[in-house]
Amino acid sequence: EPRGLRLASVTNRIIQTLVIPRRRLADALNRPESNHVAVYFLFGESTVGSQSSVYIGETEDIPGRLRDHNARKDFWNTAIIAVAEARFTKAHVKYLEWMSIQRATEAGRFDLENSNQPQRPFLPEPQIADCVDAFETIDTLLSALGYPLFEGTRPSVDDSEGAFFCNRSGADATGQLTDDGFVVFEGSKALCDDRPSSPPSIVQLRQQLRTDGILEDSGGAMVFTQDYIFRSPSTAAAVVVGGSANGWVEWRNGQGKTLDDVYRQVQPGGE
């Protein structure tokens, strides 16, 4: 089933990942992958924040640990376990857990549900090299499966390339269209007040971003304290201007071209 249990791997790499929808947990725990030590990820929607959430852990007992999380943690709807065909040890997966938490924190894509930050485990240098290689594969597989946990929010190009601006009504925001949506850059300024015609969903989102500390009041504006990805350019523009907005025409690049001009009016075979 395309949305059921899925096994993903990279050719000639030892790491495999098993994607487990929560309702298919019992089936997953009967699979041979559940007999390995593993680093695992629980993905779901945050109950308090504006971003999706993840819990990162490691275990020698996948069935027991996931059954416990199924009974005790409400937020998650998908589990992904990463195991090695050549068996890793407890030390390997503890290092991968530590590395994953560090990188996920740096990326800032997901809210971490982990209450404790593990200390860096000691490993001999050759085993660290094995873990780094395994981590790169896990990173690739998670992104390919739709969970870019370790990727930064900005595209891997200079900010001057493809940057778009929203300056209406005193707002002063900069952002960029990405594969995941539209990212508004740290330091961008949004209007403080909601317009009377602002949809309730935008009012609620702006308030949630304030509660999360992603928007902070400063000098008569609300300033983005970090890069933040919106699902669409229009949602991004609406948050910036405090009301309904068509992001495809609100966001303009340095030459005055709109997102619509650049991305939706391209002719087949053209530039």
Side-chain angles (χ1 to χ4, degrees), residues 143-166:
S143 293
L145 292 165
Y147 299 93
L149 177 59
F150 308 120
E151 295 182 13
T153 52
R154 297 197 185 197
S156 56
V157 296
D158 292 338
D159 290 347
S160 59
E161 296 182 34
F164 285 77
F165 309 92
C166 180

Side-chain angles (χ1 to χ4, degrees), residues 113-133:
E113 295 284 335
N114 297 69
S115 57
N116 298 314
Q117 296 281 334
Q119 296 296 313
R120 177 174 180 166
F122 172 79
L123 275 184
E125 192 170 353
Q127 293 184 30
I128 291 176
D130 290 340
C131 288
V132 170
D133 184 70

